[in-house]
Amino acid sequence: MKYLYPPPRLTAPVSLQGMLRDDVLARAGHSYGKSYADVVRAVARHFPHPPDLVAYPSTESELVSVLDWCASSNIAIVPYGGGTSVVGGVETDIGEGYRGCVTIDLSYLDKVVEVDTTSLSALIQAGATGPAIDAQLSKYGLTLRHYPQSFEFSTLGGWIATRAAGHYATVYTHIDEMVESLRVISPSGIVETRRLPASGAGPSPDRFFIGSEGTLGIITEAWMRVQRKPTYRVSRGVFFDNFNEGVECVKELAQSGLYPTNCRLLDPGEALLSGSGDGMKAVLILGFESADHRVEAVMSRGMEICAAHGGSLTESVGSRNGVSVTEISSSADVDSRSVSKWKDSFIRAPYLRDELVLMGIIVETFETAVTWDHFDELDEAVIKAVRGAFAYATGSKGWITRRFTHIYPDGPAVYYTVVAPGRAGAELEQWRTIKQAASEAVLANFGTITHHHAVGRDHRRWYELERPYLFAEILAAAKKVLDPGWVMNPGVLIEQPKNYGALSIVEH
Amino acid sequence: MKYLYPPPRLTAPVSLQGMLRDDVLARAGHSYGKSYADVVRAVARHFPHPPDLVAYPSTESELVSVLDWCASSNIAIVPYGGGTSVVGGVETDIGEGYRGCVTIDLSYLDKVVEVDTTSLSALIQAGATGPAIDAQLSKYGLTLRHYPQSFEFSTLGGWIATRAAGHYATVYTHIDEMVESLRVISPSGIVETRRLPASGAGPSPDRFFIGSEGTLGIITEAWMRVQRKPTYRVSRGVFFDNFNEGVECVKELAQSGLYPTNCRLLDPGEALLSGSGDGMKAVLILGFESADHRVEAVMSRGMEICAAHGGSLTESVGSRNGVSVTEISSSADVDSRSVSKWKDSFIRAPYLRDELVLMGIIVETFETAVTWDHFDELDEAVIKAVRGAFAYATGSKGWITRRFTHIYPDGPAVYYTVVAPGRAGAELEQWRTIKQAASEAVLANFGTITHHHAVGRDHRRWYELERPYLFAEILAAAKKVLDPGWVMNPGVLIEQPKNYGALSIVEH
């Protein structure tokens, strides 16, 4: 077979060869994640920097063997879960200074190892995907109940490494809250934290690894807090005449202590795109769930809040039940048409994106979180900046819509979708112009560069503006402890300090 | 005035003298925290290692000046909030190798600087005590709603530095959850994080400073998530024939998603001590609160769960209302006698402790958290170990009781109170024997050495068993970045590595 890209630069020790692949499919398939730029490059068969080898360890000890070989041979390691990064987190363009690059694919570490039905916890291997986890927990009537949009493909280890957020709106939404303990293999050794419901003993070691994006080591398994499957469920779609009315309503819901499981506000454009609205009104998808108790009463209070802010039930429910916004159906599991339309659309969106890319259309999503007091100015600035970039880069008016994916008492997480016509061969440059305009507006208006897409390589320069300078020093110092050769996912999250080689490791 | 302890070893630059005190009251008053051992030593007028000077900066720039002087002169710094540490966190016995020790008392930094009523957040200085914070927030109808037992004296900075837990039972209990951003002055510079409702950008910098116990720098202010004052409130006391029945009930409540604001289970002895029970039955104090909606319905479901586990309403309520356990009063704010007795006792306990110490009685509390699957064995082992230590160290049967202070879906936080007769002059040795037996039992049975009392100096050797070894290396490496001279609260949390001096700082 003819290589469309550079041949592998590495030959592995015989003892490791059984778990390594160097074929085209493995190498091309592990060159990129799933961002717009990744899809464009993959479609163009542009693979100048594939991993030299792809390792598929099926036990932790195999993983240790390949990691040790790489770390002792100056070979860069890219940990790989589901490969759904949209920020260059699994890209293998690792730069100069390494003998080569090995991607470690965790897909064979996909088991739920142990279930503690008393403490509602499960020990799960890092390579398990969303469906694999739920299938194995289902036997116990349990669920991790973490549904990022990438649920089908992404893995527990990836979620933890990138601080993923599920699709639930309030209380326990980020994977951070669900980690009871974790186990990390670093070049310097194993870090395993104690299973605890809570602790006040020093800074949380878990929280230091959650979000480390493979730069400190590879998470191999974690004890996760799981839940009983919900048996009571109510969902409603609510129309608002404009997005701002919906924003005020959602803020009150976020601060009410009602803790809805779903509280997504779609602007009129998003509502239209997802089929849950007519393009004139904003739509709020509000849902409550419980495995313990009926949730009509909290929905009733939620509907009161919606009504007070001018919300009205979506037509489908209104016409079916003929109820006012303050009444609710007595059924424990009613979805309005808007709700189910939105659900379908949520799951289909990534596939649709790939089709649009093939049609030469630029499709990008980016997201942030910001305190309520700065939301209006951030939103206005982002839309203005993106529209300016549309005009400059594509000569078109483009399309920008947004929704709230998660809400907190002190602010929303906002998710923007941008669509514009691409010019063949110039799409990446056009995309970069739009991305830069959006990111600058986010940072200048008190947002975070990412609420749940992680930093990777693509967000690094804005992350550098966001995080305290001395915290980057701390991350580099921690890396010197765990990964003195700087082989773990180089280029992601932090830049290697110039004098890094001179930094000695702490020894007792 | 005659010094009962060593004269100050330091003379401050003239520019700093206005904020420094070296009088007996300031120095003796800042020698210890409020642990049993601290009170015993203070009562014995044993002050061999007072701080040489006590600084009272009233602005951040004054704090920077005194910190810079200390850091550049090899003077140890002990940050001091309310001085309520029970783990040696503010003790000034800093060991060899320093020119002296300066305690920095933050009590003049006690303002609520800014209130954002839109995002329900407030910028608060670190030296503000519980009452000072609530008084200033009260004008806006807001509250931080964080009530540790030390509420009257302890400070925001202390809470954050030690990962304090309030008295609320579920959801947002640890101060960790309430920090929106923080500002830390370290010898290497200022670390200020961005105000955000949530973020997925790298490991959380806030979480690395929360729990750092003054070893990385001094927290000067933080944006905190605040709440509207609750207007709906229901509390109930429920009797159980024995502690185990109560444990099963509380586990179900923790896993129900009802999120009670109070869910304290007292064993029969605790119930007797606090006046909320007769010493034969366990008592559960269950409460719900909201600023948005009535809470009778959730209490009703809570009472169903209690009834299913054999719980019965405490007599006072039963006799007043003549209701069964599944009914609730329609009043929005009803406290049973048990509930109010418990509240009084909660607030009085620390004062009572001091009186008992003066009477020569050993009184100690310790606490942990553990997953439900290990609770029974931990509890049994702790009680056995403590009773063994009572017999060995005091020749008495002593008294040990426990309560759950916080509950999580995956486990409880357990708080033990031990009381035994002390022998004059030998109390500290006796106390140490009991403390060691208890701590070993906690660690051997999968508990944490502290759920909310912090590590300080007293818990360090058990903390060393609990936290991953490589995480201590990371903390030391971080300290090298922020506090290269190792002057910040030496002796607390981590030991100085032997080769620490050889470790170079990362420079870009």
Side-chain angles (χ1 to χ4, degrees):
Chain A
M1 181 163 196
K2 186 172 173 295
Y3 281 112
L4 297 168
Y5 45 84
R9 293 165 290 184
L10 301 170
T11 307
V14 175
S15 63
L16 300 178
Q17 288 177 0
M19 66 171 130
L20 292 164
R21 284 174 58 181
D22 66 356
D23 56 283
V24 172
L25 194 61
R27 294 181 65 213
H30 289 81
S31 288
Y32 297 124
K34 292 280 179 284
S35 73
Y36 170 77
D38 293 339
V39 176
V40 168
R41 289 179 296 177
V43 166
R45 301 184 196 180
H46 185 69
F47 296 105
H49 305 290
D52 296 286
L53 299 167
V54 180
Y56 289 87
S58 49
T59 63
E60 188 181 278
S61 93
E62 286 187 359
L63 188 150
V64 168
S65 304
V66 69
L67 188 139
D68 280 355
W69 171 58
C70 294
S72 62
S73 312
N74 191 32
I75 297 165
I77 296 166
V78 176
Y80 191 99
T84 58
S85 171
V86 291
V87 293
V90 294
E91 194 170 332
T92 46
D93 181 6
I94 43 94
E96 301 295 312
Y98 296 96
R99 283 186 51 213
C101 175
V102 172
T103 289
I104 302 185
D105 185 314
L106 296 164
S107 48
Y108 291 159
L109 294 168
D110 62 350
K111 306 289 179 301
V112 172
V113 179
E114 195 179 335
V115 176
D116 171 0
T117 54
T118 302
S119 314
L120 297 189
S121 314
L123 177 62
I124 306 173
Q125 290 185 309
T129 60
I133 293 169
D134 265 9
Q136 293 175 79
L137 289 176
S138 193
K139 291 176 256 177
Y140 304 88
L142 299 173
T143 172
L144 181 59
R145 216 158 155 272
H146 182 73
Y147 301 108
Q149 200 162 22
S150 58
F151 174 76
E152 280 179 272
F153 304 105
S154 57
T155 60
L156 180 73
W159 299 337
I160 297 174
T162 61
R163 297 180 73 188
H167 84 239
Y168 291 104
T170 61
V171 196
Y172 302 120
T173 60
H174 265 265
I175 199 76
D176 314 37
E177 318 289 345
M178 302 171 201
V179 174
E180 194 176 72
S181 73
L182 45 73
R183 187 172 163 93
V184 180
I185 312 296
S186 81
S188 296
I190 294 174
V191 177
E192 184 170 350
T193 63
R194 186 168 274 228
R195 266 190 80 192
L196 290 169
S199 174
S204 164
D206 291 334
R207 297 279 181 161
F208 196 68
F209 289 94
I210 296 170
S212 59
E213 303 193 15
T215 61
L216 300 177
I218 298 183
I219 297 159
T220 55
E221 59 185 30
W223 273 96
M224 299 300 294
R225 300 180 179 121
V226 298
Q227 299 175 48
R228 295 200 181 90
K229 285 190 193 178
T231 45
Y232 302 97
R233 193 179 281 126
V234 181
S235 288
R236 283 290 176 279
V238 181
F239 276 143
F240 291 93
D241 283 342
N242 57 63
F243 192 60
N244 287 350
E245 269 185 10
V247 170
E248 283 304 308
C249 177
V250 160
K251 176 157 76 72
E252 187 171 342
L253 286 166
Q255 296 175 349
S256 70
L258 291 171
Y259 302 131
T261 43
N262 209 346
C263 188
R264 295 206 167 221
L265 179 67
L266 317 184
D267 76 5
E270 287 263 330
L272 180 67
L273 266 188
S274 70
S276 53
D278 61 1
M280 303 299 288
K281 295 194 172 194
V283 175
L284 171 66
I285 312 292
L286 186 66
F288 292 90
E289 287 183 9
S290 173
D292 175 77
H293 46 269
R294 301 184 68 88
V295 287
E296 288 86 351
V298 282
M299 177 59 94
S300 176
R301 174 62 193 138
M303 287 290 112
E304 276 178 27
I305 293 174
C306 291
H309 288 277
S312 56
L313 272 185
T314 52
E315 273 174 38
S316 54
V317 170
S319 63
R320 194 170 56 196
N321 296 346
V323 296
S324 82
V325 72
T326 54
E327 292 175 54
I328 57 157
S329 155
S330 61
S331 158
D333 193 353
V334 178
D335 275 9
S336 73
R337 197 180 60 187
S338 299
V339 176
S340 53
K341 282 281 182 189
W342 167 77
K343 278 188 186 167
D344 293 347
S345 157
F346 179 72
I347 292 160
R348 281 201 331 261
Y351 296 98
L352 175 64
R353 199 274 314 262
D354 290 0
E355 288 166 32
L356 291 171
V357 171
L358 290 172
M359 293 157 63
I361 292 170
I362 298 168
V363 187
E364 173 66 330
T365 62
F366 59 89
E367 35 80 69
T368 185
V370 68
T371 49
W372 291 112
D373 59 324
H374 290 298
F375 169 69
D376 288 343
E377 58 192 299
L378 176 138
D379 189 53
E380 197 177 318
V382 164
I383 291 173
K384 190 177 167 193
V386 168
R387 290 209 171 122
F390 282 156
Y392 172 80
T394 74
S396 83
K397 291 176 76 174
W399 171 276
I400 176 165
T401 60
R402 76 285 212 216
R403 61 178 184 258
F404 287 172
T405 54
H406 304 75
I407 52 163
Y408 303 89
D410 50 340
V414 203
Y415 194 100
Y416 293 89
T417 299
V418 301
V419 179
R423 202 166 60 248
E427 301 100 329
L428 287 182
E429 193 52 41
Q430 292 175 301
W431 167 79
R432 272 187 213 104
T433 302
I434 297 165
K435 177 79 183 165
Q436 175 160 347
S439 301
E440 282 175 4
V442 164
L443 265 285
N445 287 280
F446 308 101
T448 172
I449 190 59
T450 178
H451 171 266
H452 62 267
H453 281 173
V455 174
R457 289 167 177 81
D458 297 353
H459 283 154
R460 216 181 68 192
R461 60 183 159 140
W462 296 290
Y463 171 62
E464 283 168 8
L465 301 175
E466 177 179 335
R467 55 115 186 85
Y469 170 75
L470 285 166
F471 191 64
E473 305 270 288
I474 291 170
L475 289 175
K479 207 160 154 63
K480 191 80 193 194
V481 170
L482 296 174
D483 174 28
W486 201 280
V487 297
M488 295 303 311
N489 223 4
V492 164
L493 205 57
I494 49 169
E495 189 185 13
Q496 185 168 15
K498 288 200 178 59
N499 74 333
Y500 183 76
L503 177 68
S504 27
I505 309 169
V506 185
E507 276 163 30
H508 286 266
Chain B
M1 180 160 196
K2 188 171 170 294
Y3 281 111
L4 296 168
Y5 45 84
R9 294 166 289 183
L10 301 171
T11 307
V14 174
S15 64
L16 300 178
Q17 287 176 2
M19 66 170 129
L20 291 165
R21 285 175 57 182
D22 66 357
D23 56 285
V24 172
L25 194 62
R27 295 181 64 212
H30 289 81
S31 288
Y32 297 123
K34 292 280 179 284
S35 74
Y36 171 77
D38 293 339
V39 177
V40 168
R41 289 180 294 178
V43 166
R45 301 182 196 181
H46 185 70
F47 296 104
H49 304 290
D52 296 286
L53 300 167
V54 180
Y56 289 87
S58 48
T59 63
E60 189 182 277
S61 92
E62 287 186 359
L63 188 151
V64 169
S65 305
V66 69
L67 188 138
D68 279 354
W69 170 57
C70 294
S72 61
S73 312
N74 190 33
I75 297 165
I77 296 167
V78 176
Y80 191 98
T84 58
S85 171
V86 292
V87 293
V90 295
E91 195 170 332
T92 45
D93 182 6
I94 43 93
E96 301 294 313
Y98 296 96
R99 282 185 53 212
C101 175
V102 172
T103 289
I104 302 185
D105 186 314
L106 296 165
S107 48
Y108 291 159
L109 294 168
D110 62 350
K111 305 291 180 299
V112 172
V113 179
E114 195 180 334
V115 177
D116 171 1
T117 54
T118 302
S119 314
L120 296 189
S121 314
L123 176 62
I124 306 173
Q125 288 185 310
T129 61
I133 293 168
D134 265 9
Q136 292 174 80
L137 290 176
S138 192
K139 289 176 257 176
Y140 304 88
L142 299 173
T143 170
L144 182 58
R145 216 157 156 271
H146 181 73
Y147 300 108
Q149 201 161 22
S150 58
F151 174 76
E152 278 179 273
F153 304 106
S154 56
T155 60
L156 180 74
W159 299 337
I160 297 174
T162 61
R163 295 180 74 186
H167 84 239
Y168 291 103
T170 61
V171 196
Y172 302 120
T173 60
H174 266 266
I175 198 78
D176 313 38
E177 319 288 347
M178 301 170 203
V179 175
E180 195 176 73
S181 72
L182 44 73
R183 187 172 162 94
V184 181
I185 311 297
S186 81
S188 296
I190 294 174
V191 178
E192 184 170 349
T193 63
R194 187 170 273 228
R195 267 190 80 191
L196 290 169
S199 174
S204 164
D206 291 335
R207 297 279 182 162
F208 196 68
F209 289 94
I210 297 171
S212 59
E213 302 193 14
T215 62
L216 300 178
I218 299 183
I219 297 159
T220 55
E221 60 184 30
W223 272 98
M224 301 299 295
R225 299 180 178 119
V226 299
Q227 299 174 49
R228 296 199 181 91
K229 285 191 193 177
T231 45
Y232 302 97
R233 191 179 284 127
V234 181
S235 288
R236 282 291 177 277
V238 181
F239 276 143
F240 291 93
D241 282 342
N242 57 63
F243 191 59
N244 288 351
E245 270 184 10
V247 170
E248 284 304 308
C249 177
V250 161
K251 176 156 77 68
E252 187 171 342
L253 286 167
Q255 296 175 349
S256 70
L258 290 171
Y259 304 130
T261 43
N262 209 346
C263 189
R264 297 207 166 220
L265 179 67
L266 317 184
D267 77 3
E270 287 263 331
L272 181 66
L273 268 189
S274 69
S276 53
D278 61 1
M280 303 299 288
K281 297 193 172 194
V283 175
L284 171 66
I285 312 293
L286 186 67
F288 293 89
E289 287 182 9
S290 173
D292 176 76
H293 45 270
R294 300 184 68 89
V295 287
E296 288 86 352
V298 282
M299 176 58 94
S300 178
R301 174 63 193 138
M303 287 289 113
E304 277 178 26
I305 293 173
C306 292
H309 287 277
S312 55
L313 272 185
T314 51
E315 273 173 39
S316 53
V317 169
S319 62
R320 194 170 54 195
N321 297 345
V323 295
S324 84
V325 72
T326 53
E327 294 176 54
I328 58 156
S329 155
S330 60
S331 158
D333 192 353
V334 177
D335 274 9
S336 74
R337 197 180 59 189
S338 299
V339 176
S340 53
K341 282 281 181 188
W342 168 78
K343 278 188 187 166
D344 292 348
S345 159
F346 178 74
I347 291 159
R348 278 202 331 262
Y351 296 97
L352 175 63
R353 199 273 315 263
D354 290 1
E355 288 166 32
L356 291 172
V357 172
L358 289 173
M359 293 157 64
I361 292 170
I362 298 168
V363 188
E364 172 67 329
T365 61
F366 58 89
E367 36 80 69
T368 184
V370 67
T371 49
W372 291 111
D373 59 324
H374 290 300
F375 169 69
D376 287 343
E377 58 191 301
L378 176 139
D379 189 52
E380 198 177 317
V382 164
I383 291 173
K384 191 178 165 193
V386 168
R387 291 210 171 119
F390 281 157
Y392 172 80
T394 74
S396 83
K397 290 175 77 174
W399 171 276
I400 176 167
T401 59
R402 76 286 211 216
R403 61 178 185 258
F404 287 172
T405 54
H406 304 76
I407 52 163
Y408 303 90
D410 50 339
V414 204
Y415 195 100
Y416 293 89
T417 300
V418 301
V419 179
R423 205 166 57 249
E427 303 100 329
L428 287 183
E429 193 52 41
Q430 293 175 301
W431 167 79
R432 272 187 213 103
T433 302
I434 297 166
K435 178 80 183 165
Q436 176 160 345
S439 301
E440 282 175 3
V442 164
L443 264 286
N445 288 280
F446 308 99
T448 173
I449 191 59
T450 178
H451 171 265
H452 62 266
H453 280 172
V455 174
R457 289 167 177 81
D458 298 352
H459 282 155
R460 215 182 67 193
R461 59 183 159 140
W462 296 290
Y463 171 62
E464 283 167 8
L465 302 174
E466 178 178 333
R467 56 114 185 86
Y469 171 74
L470 284 166
F471 192 64
E473 306 271 289
I474 290 170
L475 289 175
K479 209 160 150 66
K480 191 80 193 194
V481 170
L482 296 175
D483 174 29
W486 202 279
V487 297
M488 295 304 311
N489 223 2
V492 163
L493 204 57
I494 49 168
E495 191 186 12
Q496 185 167 15
K498 288 201 178 58
N499 75 333
Y500 183 76
L503 177 68
S504 27
I505 309 168
V506 185
E507 277 163 30
H508 287 265

